[in-house]
Amino acid sequence: MSKTLRIIIVDDSKTILAQLGALCSHIDDVEIVGTAVDGAEAVKLVTALKPHLVLMDIVMPNMDGLSALRIISSAAPESRVAMISSVGSLNSRSEESFRLGAFQVIGKPIDPEQIEELIINELESLRQREGV
Amino acid sequence: MARKFFGQFLIELGEVQPEHVREAVTLMDDTNPVLGEFAVSANVLSERDANRINREQRRTDRKFGDLAVGMGLLTTDQVRDLVREQKAQRLSIGQALCQLGHLDTGRLDDLLKKFSLDQAGQVANRYLQLPEEIDDSQLVDCILDLFPKLTQRIARIQLFTQSCEKWSGQELQSQIATVSVRGDENWDITLSCDQDFAAQIHAGFMGGFSNQKTEEDPEEISSTLLDDCIGEFLNILAGSAMDELEKQAITVCLEPPVFGNTPVEGYHFAIQASRGAASLILSPA
């Protein structure tokens, strides 16, 4: 029996939403349960749907990714969050991401293999946790 | 006379039309293998190793050959031989235009000679003389340095900056996006480009996935999506510049892109690109 990894993607760019959606669509046992275009929408969606994985941009309008991460980390601690950063994975904002609870920071432009590896690892961890 | 590509030179002379150059560039893209593909077809590199190098190349500005040597996958001699052979077999823009029937083969040599004379002494963008008011800006320096590197890395567009002039309402292209950088330096960075340039960036973003086309007809992608795409490109450009600035203890933050705004002041950088048309406007805020 397989277990499905439920993902929410958060980015104000339609290009990135399409890019990540295309990648997830050809990995087995992965379902995108929602997308959001800013931090405020992300907080609502993640706390309501409690996905296994959130892929979230840092620079966004209304509420940025770091502010949303701070709320999600306490409101939905079971959801694991990977931040997607246009400012590089070694920037101080990336350090802040880890401090606020992200388990990984991915730099842009997105490396498809890095995302694929991350999702497959998360799927594997989920199966181990659930004893599948 | 400014520095330019041969295709642009031919358009300015009235020898060919812009759509002919676009057609020729597409033929070149279809015909000329990149070095990795060339190495695989020559059986000196496995497809898996070529993909490894391609993956690494998305994170760095180093050339394929340099990375292959650094990763111990090819020797310097092998890279030199491959590059030599690749160049020998490469279809040039002039040859592509002739092959498509847009340029008379008998005139190509003469036009190439004229082009060499026209371009003699032109300087690369890194030596572009900047106005005094912006010459000491670290951000401007980073943006101008990173812009051609990122277009090459993301979308395989080669470009250089032809000129820098004070903004005076120069004509802009159809797609316009702006990001704002605030902090120790304050600038609005606007990229204006045509659909062809934006579609190539879009293809670059989407091309990393096996189930996506790497080339798309700009007419098939909505203008909103093309704007979004160059906004995302600007995010990455400004974000990469922020990384460099942070190493120099210059702190700035980045605001999300806005679309369609015409700058009111600043500096207009005319860009010569191997695909489409673009310009960059840097406005102090």
Side-chain angles (χ1 to χ4, degrees):
Chain A
M1 188 183 121
S2 63
K3 180 81 189 172
T4 300
L5 184 78
R6 299 165 64 249
I7 301 179
I8 284 178
I9 305 173
V10 187
D11 202 303
D12 57 319
S13 164
K14 292 182 184 74
T15 306
I16 298 299
L17 290 178
Q19 193 182 17
L20 289 171
L23 177 58
C24 292
S25 70
H26 66 89
I27 303 175
D28 289 340
D29 301 325
V30 166
E31 183 189 1
I32 298 172
V33 293
T35 59
V37 296
D38 62 37
E41 256 187 40
V43 168
K44 280 186 200 159
L45 210 55
V46 172
T47 47
L49 298 177
K50 306 264 191 311
H52 300 113
L53 176 65
V54 181
L55 300 172
M56 183 157 65
D57 189 18
I58 291 183
V59 179
M60 290 186 292
N62 302 329
M63 181 191 284
D64 70 15
L66 292 179
S67 304
L69 174 63
R70 186 178 291 115
I71 300 170
I72 289 169
S73 293
S74 58
E78 61 276 51
S79 294
R80 282 165 59 80
V81 183
M83 301 302 283
I84 302 169
S85 169
S86 56
V87 294
S89 54
L90 298 174
N91 189 280
S92 58
R93 284 187 160 203
S94 304
E95 291 168 19
E96 182 71 357
S97 299
F98 287 117
R99 202 177 61 74
L100 291 172
F103 74 97
Q104 190 157 346
V105 178
I106 296 156
K108 289 182 181 176
I110 289 169
D111 173 358
E113 288 184 39
Q114 190 185 7
I115 294 281
E116 195 169 326
E117 196 177 299
L118 178 146
I119 291 174
I120 288 169
N121 285 344
E122 286 303 296
L123 191 55
E124 196 53 41
S125 303
L126 174 69
R127 285 172 177 160
Q128 281 174 11
R129 283 200 305 275
E130 307 271 329
V132 177
Chain B
M1 280 287 182
R3 190 169 175 234
K4 63 189 71 150
F5 288 108
F6 186 50
Q8 184 64 30
F9 176 73
L10 294 176
I11 292 169
E12 286 172 15
L13 281 185
E15 295 283 342
V16 295
Q17 298 300 311
E19 57 270 27
H20 296 159
V21 171
R22 191 173 148 188
E23 221 181 299
V25 169
T26 303
L27 177 64
M28 289 167 70
D29 286 348
D30 292 345
T31 310
N32 295 330
V34 293
L35 196 64
E37 291 164 347
F38 200 79
V40 171
S41 65
N43 291 321
V44 293
L45 196 66
S46 70
E47 202 166 330
R48 188 169 170 270
D49 285 340
N51 286 338
R52 274 178 62 200
I53 301 167
N54 283 332
R55 186 182 169 188
E56 197 58 34
Q57 234 185 336
R58 287 179 73 89
R59 300 189 203 133
T60 165
D61 298 309
R62 291 177 66 196
K63 290 180 177 171
F64 186 93
D66 293 341
L67 285 170
V69 172
M71 292 163 80
L73 297 169
L74 290 174
T75 65
T76 312
D77 285 349
Q78 281 175 315
V79 171
R80 189 197 54 222
D81 292 346
L82 283 167
V83 170
R84 188 188 297 145
E85 195 56 31
Q86 185 197 29
K87 278 187 180 166
Q89 292 185 25
R90 189 175 180 277
L91 184 71
S92 69
I93 182 89
Q95 290 165 333
L97 284 163
C98 291
Q99 203 168 307
L100 290 163
H102 299 316
L103 193 66
D104 181 3
T105 313
R107 303 208 56 225
L108 185 57
D109 281 351
D110 274 353
L111 289 166
L112 282 168
K113 277 179 199 154
K114 267 190 190 171
F115 179 63
S116 294
L117 285 172
D118 178 87
Q119 293 296 288
Q122 296 299 332
V123 293
N125 59 334
R126 60 184 306 163
Y127 303 116
L128 188 73
Q129 186 65 49
L130 295 179
E132 205 174 308
E133 308 92 280
I134 59 171
D135 200 24
D136 62 348
S137 163
Q138 296 298 314
L139 182 81
V140 170
D141 202 36
C142 284
I143 293 289
L144 294 178
D145 179 53
L146 289 166
F147 186 39
K149 290 177 180 170
L150 283 171
T151 54
Q152 172 69 36
R153 199 195 301 171
I154 292 171
R156 291 187 183 162
I157 296 176
Q158 292 172 33
L159 58 79
F160 49 79
T161 311
Q162 278 186 312
S163 61
C164 170
E165 292 170 336
K166 203 147 188 160
W167 170 254
S168 57
Q170 286 89 339
E171 191 180 345
L172 295 178
Q173 302 290 332
S174 57
Q175 316 304 138
I176 303 171
T178 304
V179 291
S180 299
V181 171
R182 297 290 182 267
D184 292 341
E185 287 208 32
N186 294 283
W187 291 89
D188 291 338
I189 304 162
T190 300
L191 174 60
S192 160
C193 65
D194 65 1
Q195 291 191 336
D196 193 21
F197 186 97
Q200 187 72 6
I201 298 276
H202 180 265
F205 280 129
M206 300 308 291
F209 304 109
S210 56
N211 61 344
Q212 295 290 319
K213 287 194 289 180
T214 54
E215 288 279 342
E216 290 196 56
D217 182 348
E219 302 295 324
E220 290 177 9
I221 311 170
S222 74
S223 183
T224 313
L225 190 57
L226 291 178
D227 273 348
D228 179 88
C229 190
I230 60 166
E232 186 54 32
F233 174 81
L234 276 180
N235 253 341
I236 295 171
L237 174 63
S240 304
M242 282 170 66
D243 273 353
E244 292 302 315
L245 294 182
E246 193 164 295
K247 290 175 194 161
Q248 300 168 48
I250 299 170
T251 307
V252 288
C253 63
L254 179 61
E255 293 175 10
V258 293
F259 305 100
N261 290 354
T262 305
V264 288
E265 60 170 340
Y267 299 89
H268 175 269
F269 294 81
I271 305 294
Q272 178 74 183
S274 60
R275 281 299 285 260
S279 58
L280 197 63
I281 302 100
L282 302 179
S283 310

